[in-house]
Every structure is written in structure tokens, then in C-alpha cells.
């Protein structure tokens, strides 16, 4: 009996061993059959999004699935960089959010100046002590001087690169609830031109205004959310009879006016409202109905929001699309605060920012030249 029992146990043990061996062989055979095309989509997107355009094209011919993912993350445009202005010294930092890299460069040319606006890779700067106004391109080191002008509590924008004959500078100053003073200039001019305009609707102009140039017009979002429009060709000014965007009451908390941003994309005026830990609310101006329309998607567009100027981009890496990137970097300069409309959350998680704590002249988004890889 004991011998028979031992034989049964041995037989059972052999069966279990054979079963395990067969299972391992099947698993090994399955692993051997797996290919690079079986990579999880999220991992594949992360890998392909870091490739250059040429390598992306090569990867897209591997198989149908790789072609689909490579196309979705193909980078045609370059992301704006976040430029930091030091409180002391001449060293400036540029943060590339697409590659999470930071570059440093010494720019003594900017000593004693504060930033006003950026567009097409150019900075517009102002020296408060001397009232000097000038353009500077940190990528080419070009400087273009402008006539002196006192800008104490007002902001200024320009239409396009100062190397273009169509470049116009614009600033609006509060005189009274019903009167504003608008000043304009252009590269090569000997002085600024200032004219006063009546407002049909109350328009409170302040340093918290947001300016953008779109379709030949300067748009100015006031402190209270009304939109003024200036036509530099016809020298006309009007306040649109469009009520301010509707936000929940909790958005009008402490420092609420500092968490507003405005940009344009393909002729559309886009406004972003933020408030502490609440999800941002994005509005687009419906120019036919003349009302603000809340947006639940950006259709793949990426917005870059900063106090003095904001930008919109298409065809960025897939993980950056349909998101808003804010002018704040966390984790020792490794991660930019962003909000994904697809996932309806901030990245990194719970990394919203109180804009009342930030100096509006601390940093600004700037567009590097196409294929610019960094400072040497």
C-alpha cells in the first residue's frame, strides 16, 4: 500500500511538473511571437513623440499601427519656450516644454529692462528709468530701437515681427471710465502718436488687460471682461457690446483678475479663465452671434498662457495636444503645469497655481525659430 501511494504521489508530481513546463513553454512561445508592434499605445506614443520629423516618417512605415500612432504624434510645429527674467544678473533661462530641457544664456543687452510682449520670436522691452523701448531677438541677437515712451501702468503689444513693414505697436491707457488714451508707433518712427477715444460702454484699462492682434485688429480684454477693438489702419476704437464671459461665482475670488489669459487661433479670439484648484474655463468669441462660447475641446490645439502674451500651436507632440500650458514649472524645472481637456485634470496632478503669487514680469512664452535646437 505505501508503495502504491508513493507511485501515485510521484505520478501526481510529474503531472504538475509537466503542466508547469507546458505552461512555461506556451508563455515563452507567446513572448517569442510578440513584436515591437505589440507595444502598448501609450508607450508607443511616448517613444515616437520624441523622434525627429525624419525618424518619425521612417517609423511610420513599420506597420499600420505604427503609422497611425506616428501620424498622431508627428511634430511639425515647434513649441514656444518659457523665458525667465532674473531679478539679479544677466543670465536668462529658456524652458522647452516639449523636451523638458532648460537652456541658459547671458544677455547683458537686457540689463535694466522689463518685458512687455513677445511675438514671432521677438521681445518687446521697456527700461523704466530711461523710458527706452526696444525690440530684441534672443535667438539672433538683433536689436531695434524705438522712440522713448513712458509706460508706467499700461501694457503694450505689436502686430508682427519688427522686421516687417506692417509692424505696429499699440497700447491703451485708462483716463476715465468713459475715456481711454491709445498710443501707437512703428519701427523707424521718431515719436509715438497718442489719441483719446470715448467709450460707449464702461472700459476699465489696467496692467491686467490682455492684448492680442488678430485679422488686422488689436483686441484688448479689460479688467472686468469687456472687449475693446482698435483698428490701427482706420484709427478707430470701440468696445464690443458682448457681455463678459460667464464664470461660476467661485471664480471671482481673491486675485481672480490675475488668472485670465487671451490668445488667438486662425481668426478666433480665445480667453482662458482660471481660479485656484478649479478646472480652467475656456471661451471662444462667436463673432457672428457676438457672444462668448464655452469650449470643451481645443480640437488638438495647444495653448501657452502667460500674463503678458499667450500663444496657440497645432501639430505638437500627441501628449501636448488639446491642453493648456501655463507659465509655471514645477519639480526643479522638469515639468510645466498644464491642463488636459481630454483628461479634464491638471498635470502634474493637483499642481494648479495661484496666479496672485506670481510676478507678471517673471516670465513669458517666446517662439524660437523653426528647427532651433538650442543655444551654443
Amino acid at each position: 500500500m505505501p508503495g502504491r501511494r508513493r507511485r501515485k504521489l510521484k505520478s501526481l508530481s510529474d503531472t504538475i511538473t509537466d503542466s508547469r513546463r507546458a505552461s512555461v513553454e506556451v508563455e515563452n512561445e507567446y513572448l517569442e511571437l510578440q513584436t515591437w508592434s505589440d507595444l502598448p499605445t501609450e508607450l508607443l506614443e511616448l517613444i515616437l513623440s520624441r523622434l525627429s520629423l525624419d525618424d518619425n516618417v521612417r517609423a511610420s512605415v513599420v506597420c499600420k499601427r505604427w503609422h497611425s500612432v506616428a501620424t498622431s504624434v508627428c511634430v511639425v510645429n515647434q513649441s514656444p519656450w518659457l523665458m525667465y527674467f532674473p531679478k539679479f544678473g544677466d543670465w536668462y533661462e529658456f524652458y522647452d516644454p516639449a523636451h523638458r530641457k532648460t537652456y541658459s544664456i547671458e544677455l547683458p543687452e537686457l540689463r535694466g529692462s522689463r518685458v512687455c510682449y513677445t511675438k514671432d520670436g521677438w521681445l518687446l522691452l521697456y527700461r523704466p528709468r530711461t523710458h527706452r523701448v526696444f525690440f530684441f531677438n534672443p535667438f539672433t541677437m538683433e536689436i531695434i530701437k524705438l522712440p522713448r515712451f513712458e509706460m508706467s501702468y499700461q501694457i503694450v503689444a505689436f502686430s508682427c515681427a519688427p522686421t516687417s513693414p506692417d509692424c505696429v505697436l499699440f497700447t491703451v491707457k485708462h483716463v476715465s471710465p468713459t475715456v481711454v488714451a491709445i498710443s501707437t508707433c512703428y519701427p523707424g518712427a521718431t515719436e509715438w502718436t497718442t489719441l483719446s477715444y470715448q467709450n460707449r460702454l464702461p472700459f476699465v484699462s489696467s496692467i491686467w488687460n490682455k492684448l492680442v492682434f488678430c485679422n488686422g485688429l488689436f483686441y484688448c480684454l479689460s479688467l472686468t471682461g469687456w472687449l475693446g477693438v482698435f483698428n490701427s489702419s482706420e484709427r478707430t476704437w470701440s468696445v464690443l457690446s458682448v457681455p463678459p464671459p460667464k464664470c461660476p461665482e467661485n471664480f471671482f475670488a481673491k486675485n481672480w483678475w490675475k488668472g485670465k489669459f487671451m490668445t488667438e487661433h486662425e481668426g478666433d479670439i480665445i480667453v482662458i479663465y482660471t481660479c485656484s484648484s478649479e478646472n480652467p474655463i475656456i471661451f471662444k468669441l462667436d463673432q457672428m452671434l457676438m457672444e462668448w462660447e464655452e469650449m470643451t475641446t481645443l480640437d488638438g490645439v495647444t495653448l501657452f498662457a502667460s500674463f503678458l502674451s499667450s500663444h496657440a500651436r497645432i501639430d505638437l507632440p500627441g501628449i501636448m495636444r488639446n491642453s493648456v500650458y501655463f507659465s509655471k514649472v514645477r519639480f526643479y524645472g522638469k515639468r510645466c503645469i498644464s491642463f488636459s481637456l481630454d483628461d479634464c485634470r491638471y498635470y502634474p496632478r493637483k499642481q494648479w497655481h495661484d496666479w496672485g503669487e506670481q510676478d507678471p514680469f517673471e516670465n513669458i512664452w517666446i517662439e524660437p525659430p523653426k528647427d532651433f535646437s538650442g543655444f551654443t
Side-chain angles (χ1 to χ4, degrees):
M1 290 293 291
R4 186 180 297 174
R5 187 179 292 112
R6 282 194 297 271
R7 285 194 297 272
K8 286 184 177 180
L9 290 174
K10 185 177 185 302
S11 176
L12 179 60
S13 176
D14 291 343
T15 301
I16 292 173
T17 301
D18 292 342
S19 177
R20 286 177 177 172
R21 185 181 296 114
S23 176
V24 170
E25 288 176 355
V26 170
E27 185 177 349
N28 288 339
E29 184 180 352
Y30 172 73
L31 291 174
E32 289 175 1
L33 290 174
Q34 281 189 312
T35 65
W36 283 96
S37 62
D38 296 314
L39 280 174
T41 301
E42 295 80 4
L43 181 57
L44 191 58
E45 286 182 346
L46 183 62
I47 294 172
L48 298 185
S49 67
R50 295 178 179 274
L51 299 181
S52 65
L53 181 58
D54 290 341
D55 289 338
N56 179 284
V57 173
R58 294 187 186 99
S60 68
V61 300
V62 170
C63 62
K64 288 184 178 180
R65 183 164 171 269
W66 278 42
H67 180 272
S68 176
V69 175
T71 302
S72 70
V73 300
C74 179
V75 182
V76 176
N77 272 336
Q78 186 157 3
S79 162
W81 290 4
L82 190 59
M83 180 179 180
Y84 280 89
F85 287 74
K87 291 184 178 180
F88 306 100
D90 299 326
W91 284 93
Y92 294 76
E93 290 188 342
F94 294 79
Y95 174 75
D96 176 359
H99 299 95
R100 298 183 186 177
K101 290 184 178 180
T102 299
Y103 304 92
S104 296
I105 183 173
E106 191 174 16
L107 298 172
E109 298 88 348
L110 307 188
R111 189 176 300 154
S113 65
R114 78 180 188 204
V115 65
C116 298
Y117 201 77
T118 66
K119 194 178 180 71
D120 297 337
W122 285 84
L123 295 164
L124 179 62
L125 301 121
Y126 173 65
R127 287 196 170 98
R129 290 185 178 181
T130 61
H131 301 162
R132 281 286 185 188
V133 186
F134 64 102
F135 286 105
F136 179 73
N137 189 320
F139 307 104
T140 64
M141 300 298 171
E142 295 175 83
I143 296 178
I144 297 178
K145 295 181 179 180
L146 295 161
R148 294 175 188 264
F149 186 71
E150 184 176 357
M151 291 187 290
S152 52
Y153 298 103
Q154 60 196 104
I155 58 174
V156 59
F158 57 97
S159 58
C160 57
T163 50
S164 167
D166 298 323
C167 180
V168 178
L169 290 88
F170 161 84
T171 183
V172 56
K173 184 178 181 179
H174 177 82
V175 177
S176 74
T178 57
V179 178
V180 295
I182 291 177
S183 301
T184 58
C185 192
Y186 58 89
T190 56
E191 62 181 4
W192 288 69
T193 300
T194 301
L195 297 173
S196 295
Y197 294 85
Q198 292 283 335
N199 296 322
R200 293 183 179 180
L201 295 169
F203 188 87
V204 180
S205 180
S206 74
I207 197 170
W208 303 111
N209 287 358
K210 306 300 174 184
L211 299 179
V212 70
F213 183 79
C214 179
N215 291 334
L217 303 172
F218 284 100
Y219 288 84
C220 180
L221 185 70
S222 77
L223 179 70
T224 52
W226 292 89
L227 198 62
V229 182
F230 180 72
N231 187 320
S232 58
S233 298
E234 301 178 1
R235 295 188 176 276
T236 58
W237 164 263
S238 63
V239 179
L240 300 183
S241 56
V242 181
K246 294 181 181 179
C247 292
E249 290 185 4
N250 60 341
F251 264 62
F252 300 99
K254 181 182 177 182
N255 296 322
W256 63 269
W257 60 88
K258 297 183 179 180
K260 293 189 303 181
F261 310 92
M262 182 170 68
T263 187
E264 65 87 23
H265 177 64
E266 295 184 348
D268 288 324
I269 303 299
I270 299 173
V271 172
I272 307 163
Y273 276 70
T274 67
C275 181
S276 298
S277 59
E278 299 294 327
N279 291 345
I281 303 178
I282 303 174
F283 298 93
K284 179 176 70 174
L285 179 63
D286 187 325
Q287 301 188 43
M288 293 294 292
L289 299 177
M290 294 305 286
E291 63 182 20
W292 292 104
E293 170 191 350
E294 185 173 345
M295 302 176 71
T296 56
T297 179
L298 295 172
D299 295 322
V301 176
T302 308
L303 303 181
F304 295 86
S306 57
F307 277 111
L308 300 173
S309 64
S310 301
H311 308 270
R313 283 291 174 274
I314 59 172
D315 297 331
L316 293 182
I319 56 176
M320 296 183 70
R321 297 179 186 181
N322 214 36
S323 299
V324 182
Y325 278 71
F326 295 98
S327 55
K328 192 67 180 179
V329 179
R330 299 287 200 193
F331 300 111
Y332 305 100
K334 295 297 183 181
R335 191 73 183 269
C336 194
I337 294 179
S338 65
F339 182 84
S340 168
L341 275 75
D342 289 331
D343 302 332
C344 202
R345 55 158 283 196
Y346 276 98
Y347 285 91
R349 190 177 292 277
K350 296 182 180 180
Q351 288 296 319
W352 52 271
H353 184 59
D354 181 359
W355 297 107
E357 301 174 356
Q358 186 163 326
D359 179 355
F361 304 104
E362 175 183 318
N363 57 33
I364 196 168
W365 290 107
I366 185 170
E367 304 152 301
K370 188 176 180 180
D371 300 324
F372 187 79
S373 57
F375 297 101
T376 56

